[in-house]
Amino acid sequence: FVKISAHVLRRAKSCFSKEDWDEGLNNPVIIHYTSCRKPWNCLKGRHIDLWWEYANRSIFADEIRKKYFRYKR
């Protein structure tokens, strides 16, 4: 989840209704992790559980888990 200035946030929110804004936050279509907290190196943050759900379905699941747990040791 990206930290942005209050000014930028107000401007972005003004382009959408409250319902549309909340819908986008709660049911994203594309998630781009732009902060230093990435699901593959941190278990805290928005939608990280969703990222791991899809990572575990991937043909690369074993490799992803090995790299994550090696990184955390």
Side-chain angles (χ1 to χ4, degrees):
F1 198 53
V2 178
K3 289 184 180 181
I4 56 176
S5 71
H7 171 73
V8 172
L9 184 60
R10 277 193 304 276
R11 186 168 181 148
K13 281 185 167 183
S14 70
C15 296
F16 302 94
S17 68
K18 177 166 178 17
E19 294 79 20
D20 287 343
W21 183 266
D22 290 343
E23 175 69 18
L25 286 177
N26 295 322
N27 299 298
V29 176
I30 296 173
I31 302 170
H32 184 85
Y33 299 96
T34 58
S35 72
C36 61
R37 279 195 215 164
K38 308 289 188 207
W40 48 93
N41 63 22
C42 179
L43 291 177
K44 295 180 181 176
R46 186 181 287 248
H47 302 300
I48 287 176
D49 55 335
L50 186 60
W51 187 90
W52 277 102
E53 179 184 331
Y54 282 93
N56 284 321
R57 293 181 192 180
S58 163
I59 62 172
F60 303 105
D62 290 337
E63 184 179 342
I64 293 168
R65 285 190 296 269
K66 284 178 191 174
K67 284 185 178 184
Y68 172 76
F69 290 110
R70 183 175 59 229
Y71 174 79
K72 295 313 273 181
R73 287 185 184 154

